[in-house]
Amino acid sequence: MKKAIIVMLLGTLLICTFFAGCGKAEDGMVSDTNTSTTRNTSTTNNTTDNMMTDASEGISSVISEVSSDISDAVSDVTSNVTDTTKR
């Protein structure tokens, strides 16, 4: 029973962590006021987009692994509970 409660708490924690990133937009924008430095804005935006894509793919991979681990744990707990009740 303790394992089932722990698995449920971990699942809830995972879901809460996932939805914590879904918040309101940040107030205000940061701007570069230094006009003596010239940067290629499109290159900076492309680099930022690539970084965000890589980060989101990494997070998706980790979430998938954790979900699989939780699913396996739930299956183990379910089979243990079923085995215990059959005795």
Side-chain angles (χ1 to χ4, degrees):
M1 187 65 166
K2 289 181 184 179
K3 286 183 183 180
I5 292 172
I6 290 172
V7 169
M8 284 188 214
L9 289 174
L10 287 174
T12 303
L13 179 63
L14 177 67
I15 291 170
C16 291
T17 304
F18 177 74
F19 284 115
C22 303
K24 61 182 178 180
E26 293 182 19
D27 294 336
M29 295 182 62
V30 177
S31 62
D32 187 11
T33 58
N34 189 356
T35 56
S36 65
T37 305
T38 57
R39 292 190 296 176
N40 187 346
T41 305
S42 64
T43 303
T44 304
N45 288 340
N46 288 338
T47 303
T48 304
D49 290 342
N50 290 338
M51 288 173 36
M52 293 299 289
T53 301
D54 292 344
S56 66
E57 289 173 356
I59 290 171
S60 296
S61 173
V62 170
I63 289 174
S64 176
E65 290 176 22
V66 170
S67 297
S68 176
D69 291 344
I70 289 174
S71 177
D72 292 343
V74 168
S75 296
D76 290 345
V77 168
T78 303
S79 67
N80 288 342
V81 169
T82 304
D83 290 343
T84 304
T85 58
K86 288 182 179 180
R87 291 181 189 180

